[in-house]
Amino acid sequence: MGVVTVSLGVAALVPDAQSNPTELIAASDAALYAAKERGRNQVQSGFVPQS
């Protein structure tokens, strides 16, 4: 039986009138790649600061 590993990138955003979903997606994508760089079975979080 094989081994399955998971690396996750998550981000949070407090929405307001100027919020852009692209910023949230970019932050979670960056967190995912940071988790992958750290190795297997990692979770990395990010936050999109308010403007």
Side-chain angles (χ1 to χ4, degrees), residues 6-9 30-46:
V6 176
S7 294
L8 298 173
L32 172 60
Y33 283 97
K36 286 183 174 188
E37 285 181 17
R38 293 174 56 199
R40 294 180 173 161
N41 294 322
Q42 298 293 317
V43 175
Q44 180 68 43
S45 63

Side-chain angles (χ1 to χ4, degrees), residues 8-34:
L8 298 173
V10 296
L13 169 72
V14 178
D16 62 15
Q18 279 78 37
S19 293
N20 184 343
T22 305
E23 293 175 311
L24 181 59
I25 294 167
S28 62
D29 190 52
L32 172 60
Y33 283 97

